[in-house]
């Protein structure tokens, strides 16, 4: 749990600026009705229009970054990082510990030189259900602070205002969607990571994986899983950032309805918005998370190679 908490906190804090840019791109809704005060403060409508005018994902990412920097400077890239600092550790402690126990129980550690994708995927599902129960309200607060024109002064203000206006359930509204995204995410991520480690272990199969093997396998697995699950991440972000300052069709716990709303309003291409920064986030995030986790285990005297992985986000 300690190694997992260290890995999760390190990963999310190191990659936070890219996560902010991804959130801004995914919440840049055409014609969104924000309050005049919010629009004046952060230029939310103008920023959304600028992002939508660039269909190339690289160009859209570049212009989203420029719009954020013009409005808020470097500090805007880190708005909401305090939520991660508070919540990522406990969430990842639960996530990694659950995975370790489930992987052992399901036979995933029986032979480290043989592929066991089903055991790894099933253990990842267990870890996701437990870890996301802690992570979802943290992620909701983080993204509400990250979005353009956020009306909240900080974590405490965001939590109190959200609960006061929408109830405690608003913090968990996206939990079903988060699970729907993270179940396939972890299935792809864990099986890819474990298989990549086996494929790259060419010198001595009896030795533990090296730092380089864990780093490269984690990065490849994170990028692949992130790319495949981007449409669900767009829907999750829209549901988490629907708040009392915006009139939006995403204030629902129904993932299918929210997805239909995205496609109806902006076309199917909107489901890939944020693909660039999401993949660029998860490649190094996966590498950092795995390497930090395995190193933390070694320092803490926990022997044996095992799984973990990065959290979705």
């Amino acid at each position: 749990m300690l190694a997992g908490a260290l890995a999760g906190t390190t990963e999310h804090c190191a990659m936070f600026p890219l996560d902010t840019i991804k959130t801004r791109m995914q919440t840049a809704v055409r014609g969104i009705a924000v309050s005049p005060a919010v629009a004046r403060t952060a230029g939310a409508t103008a920023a959304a229009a600028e992002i939508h005018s660039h269909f190339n994902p690289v160009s859209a990412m570049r212009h989203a970054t420029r719009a954020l920097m013009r409005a808020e400077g470097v500090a805007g890239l880190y708005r909401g990082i305090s939520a991660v600092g508070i919540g990522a550790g406990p969430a990842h402690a639960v996530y990694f510990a659950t995975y370790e126990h489930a992987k052992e129980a399901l036979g995933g550690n029986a032979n480290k030189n043989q592929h066991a994708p089903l055991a790894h995927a099933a253990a990842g599902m267990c870890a996701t259900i437990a870890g996301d129960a802690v992570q979802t309200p943290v992620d909701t607060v983080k993204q509400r602070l990250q979005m353009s024109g956020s009306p909240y002064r900080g974590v405490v203000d965001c939590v109190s205002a959200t609960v006061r206006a929408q109830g405690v359930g608003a913090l968990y509204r996206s939990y079903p969607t988060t699970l729907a995204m993270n179940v396939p995410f972890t299935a792809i991520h864990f099986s890819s990571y474990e298989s990549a480690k086996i494929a790259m272990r060419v010198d001595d199969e009896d030795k533990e994986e090296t730092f380089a093997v864990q780093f490269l396998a984690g990065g490849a697995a994170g990028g692949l899983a992130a790319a495949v699950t981007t449409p669900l991440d767009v829907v999750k972000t829209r549901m988490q950032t629907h708040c009392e300052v915006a009139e939006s069709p995403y204030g629902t716990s129904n993932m299918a309805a929210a997805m239909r709303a995205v496609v109806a309003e902006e076309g199917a291409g909107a489901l890939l918005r944020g693909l660039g920064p999401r993949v660029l986030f998860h490649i190094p995030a996966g590498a950092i998370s795995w390497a930090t986790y395995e190193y933390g285990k070694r320092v803490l005297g926990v022997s044996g190679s095992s799984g973990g992985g990065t959290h979705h986000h």
Side-chain angles (χ1 to χ4, degrees):
M1 292 183 77
L2 287 172
L6 175 64
T9 302
T10 301
E11 165 210 338
H12 282 284
C13 290
M15 303 307 301
F16 195 83
L18 270 175
D19 186 58
T20 299
I21 294 168
K22 181 212 72 169
T23 298
R24 292 295 177 94
M25 292 177 70
Q26 290 180 340
T27 54
V29 185
R30 281 197 188 96
I32 187 169
V34 297
S35 68
V38 170
R40 285 196 302 270
T41 300
T45 304
E50 187 171 17
I51 292 170
H52 278 281
S53 68
H54 298 275
F55 299 100
N56 183 299
V58 176
S59 178
M61 181 177 171
R62 183 173 62 249
H63 282 269
T65 305
R66 287 177 178 173
L68 185 153
M69 295 293 287
R70 281 199 303 267
E72 302 170 56
V74 176
L77 293 171
Y78 291 92
R79 197 165 195 274
I81 196 171
S82 55
V84 168
I86 295 169
H92 282 76
V94 172
Y95 177 78
F96 278 88
T98 302
Y99 178 70
E100 291 285 7
H101 286 285
K103 183 183 176 185
E104 179 68 28
L106 294 168
N109 290 330
N111 189 333
K112 69 178 183 179
N113 295 319
Q114 289 184 356
H115 297 279
L118 294 180
H120 299 148
M125 291 170 61
C126 295
T128 293
I129 292 170
D132 283 346
V134 181
Q135 182 72 23
T136 296
V138 174
D139 201 41
T140 298
V141 173
K142 172 186 70 70
Q143 291 196 312
R144 289 190 175 206
L145 290 169
Q146 285 177 318
M147 67 180 182
S148 181
S150 174
Y152 309 112
R153 295 187 299 273
V155 172
V156 175
D157 181 49
C158 181
V159 172
S160 61
T162 298
V163 172
R164 186 168 56 251
Q166 298 175 278
V168 177
L171 298 174
Y172 281 93
R173 181 184 294 134
S174 67
Y175 183 57
T177 304
T178 299
L179 289 183
M181 179 186 73
N182 281 342
V183 165
F185 180 95
T186 52
I188 296 168
H189 186 111
F190 283 53
S191 58
S192 299
Y193 174 76
E194 300 285 0
S195 296
K197 287 196 301 180
I198 293 173
M200 288 190 284
R201 193 186 301 132
V202 295
D203 52 350
D204 186 346
E205 292 187 349
D206 293 327
K207 289 184 178 180
E208 294 294 332
E209 303 92 21
T210 64
F211 175 88
V213 166
Q214 294 164 352
F215 191 86
L216 292 173
L224 175 62
V228 173
T229 57
T230 293
L232 289 170
D233 187 55
V234 171
V235 176
K236 176 182 74 72
T237 298
R238 294 290 179 87
M239 292 171 69
Q240 287 180 330
T241 55
H242 167 78
C243 55
E244 64 275 6
V245 300
E247 306 228 351
S248 161
Y250 310 113
T252 173
S253 59
N254 188 317
M255 179 185 67
M259 183 173 288
R260 286 195 298 269
V262 173
V263 175
E265 289 190 350
E266 304 168 65
L271 294 174
L272 295 178
R273 188 167 299 127
L275 174 65
R278 177 167 164 78
V279 172
L280 288 177
F281 175 96
H282 279 285
I283 290 176
I288 291 169
S289 180
W290 279 106
T292 304
Y293 177 63
E294 300 288 4
Y295 176 76
K297 286 175 59 183
R298 288 193 294 272
V299 170
L300 294 168
V302 182
S303 62
S305 173
S306 60
T310 184
H311 217 43
H312 35 23
H313 343 291

